[in-house]
Amino acid sequence: MNAMGNLYQRVGALPFLFVVSFAVFGSQQPRFLSVANIVNVATQSSYLVIVALAQTLVIIAAGFDLSVGASIALASIVLANLMLTGGDPLWCILLGGLGSVSVGLLVGLVNGTFVAVTRVSPLIVTLGTMTAVQGVALMLSSGMPIFGLPEAFNATFALGSLWGIPVPTIAAVLVCAAVHVLLSQTTLGRHIYAVGSSPRAAHISGVPVRRTLIITYALTGLLTGVAAFLLTARVGSGEPNLAGNFPLMSIAAAVLGGVALRGGEGTAFGAAMGAVSIVLLTNGMDLIGIGSFSQMLVLGTVLVFAAVVDTFRQTGRI
């Protein structure tokens, strides 16, 4: 029991979740273990991986971002409108991509500035931002999807592949590598961990706490814009209600991957694998015929379980 406890303290529940998923779903549905399905899971999880990595940055800095879903929706509407300006499809796609990333960056800067300057709880700030941004997305779109995007957009960024690897998967891997380098190899990364561990101690040590928070939330917004670009390509239209469940799912993925809710601890790889585990769980439930309502119950339980695991790892109780 002590050995199991030590293993649990080091890696958390994620490896056990993978083992249970493969054992249960693999025994119930042979297709679950097929190469085609594993590739499908890798592709489908790419979007949540990117948002979970974005969420990881602010959680490590002892914050949250509940506005990631609304930010994705607004970015989707903005990029769709920009792509409909006409002209060369390549130019329209580039313009839409720039618009998507700019929207995410702007929302992130607003969040970071309010959190850093007013010192209001990130939960309250991003909850307010989520509501306002979602309202803007609905107003710009009149609550309706925007169709007519260039065919090359979907064909390249949703269905395309490079060396046999789907483009969304490549994007997720590149984002994971970039976040890993940022957190482990840069001064900003060390500052993010320091602020998350203790803002007061970080300030005394000379860390620019406010600037670090603003940059961190801005980077989270930028990555959210990247996810919005890829998700819009996947659905083929600007969607005002896109990614509504991503705020909680991204937090659950990060926590399942070992990112501490209290801040100051976590890795990019862990968060990415946490996102993959959630998509793997959903995929397995789809294959064995579990209904959508029951899936909501299971995913909600996983979210609570992730929070409990995080608390137990912090306190050492097991």
Side-chain angles (χ1 to χ4, degrees), residues 110-123:
V110 170
N111 285 332
T113 300
F114 270 100
V115 170
V117 175
T118 68
R119 298 185 182 180
V120 174
S121 166
L123 190 68

Side-chain angles (χ1 to χ4, degrees), residues 83-157:
M83 284 185 184
L84 294 180
T85 55
D88 181 66
L90 177 58
W91 166 249
C92 291
I93 292 172
L94 290 174
L95 186 62
L98 179 61
S100 179
V101 171
S102 297
V103 168
L105 183 60
L106 178 61
V107 175
L109 283 171
V110 170
N111 285 332
T113 300
F114 270 100
V115 170
V117 175
T118 68
R119 298 185 182 180
V120 174
S121 166
L123 190 68
I124 301 301
V125 169
T126 58
L127 180 61
T129 307
M130 176 189 74
T131 306
V133 170
Q134 187 67 63
V136 174
L138 291 170
M139 286 190 295
L140 289 178
S141 63
S142 299
M144 301 295 292
I146 299 175
F147 298 102
L149 306 186
E151 293 183 6
F153 181 44
N154 175 266
T156 302
F157 294 99

Side-chain angles (χ1 to χ4, degrees), residues 37-277:
N37 188 58
I38 298 301
V39 172
N40 178 56
V41 169
T43 303
Q44 297 302 317
S45 63
S46 302
Y47 314 101
L48 183 57
V49 165
I50 294 174
V51 181
L53 289 165
Q55 192 75 252
T56 293
L57 292 174
V58 291
I59 295 179
I60 291 176
F64 290 102
D65 191 348
L66 297 181
S67 69
V68 291
S71 181
I72 287 173
L74 178 58
S76 178
I77 295 301
V78 170
L79 78 86
N81 279 311
L82 289 172
M83 284 185 184
L84 294 180
T85 55
D88 181 66
L90 177 58
W91 166 249
C92 291
I93 292 172
L94 290 174
L95 186 62
L98 179 61
S100 179
V101 171
S102 297
V103 168
L105 183 60
L106 178 61
V107 175
L109 283 171
V110 170
N111 285 332
T113 300
F114 270 100
V115 170
V117 175
T118 68
R119 298 185 182 180
V120 174
S121 166
L123 190 68
I124 301 301
V125 169
T126 58
L127 180 61
T129 307
M130 176 189 74
T131 306
V133 170
Q134 187 67 63
V136 174
L138 291 170
M139 286 190 295
L140 289 178
S141 63
S142 299
M144 301 295 292
I146 299 175
F147 298 102
L149 306 186
E151 293 183 6
F153 181 44
N154 175 266
T156 302
F157 294 99
L159 304 178
S161 62
L162 191 62
W163 304 302
I165 305 173
V167 168
T169 303
I170 293 173
V173 170
L174 291 176
V175 170
C176 185
V179 173
H180 169 73
V181 171
L182 169 69
L183 291 174
S184 63
Q185 304 295 327
T186 69
T187 301
L188 176 60
R190 291 191 289 273
H191 286 175
I192 292 173
Y193 281 109
V195 170
S197 298
S198 174
R200 177 181 290 273
H203 176 71
I204 294 173
S205 301
V207 174
V209 175
R210 288 186 178 181
R211 186 173 69 189
T212 299
L213 285 172
I214 292 173
I215 294 175
T216 301
Y217 276 90
L219 288 174
T220 294
L222 188 148
L223 294 181
T224 299
V226 172
F229 180 82
L230 294 171
L231 276 168
T232 304
R234 176 189 177 189
V235 300
S237 60
E239 296 287 341
N241 295 303
L242 192 62
N245 65 339
F246 270 39
L248 293 183
M249 287 299 99
S250 61
I251 293 172
V255 174
L256 277 172
V259 181
L261 284 171
R262 71 181 186 279
E265 180 183 340
T267 65
F269 179 74
M273 294 310 295
V276 172
S277 72

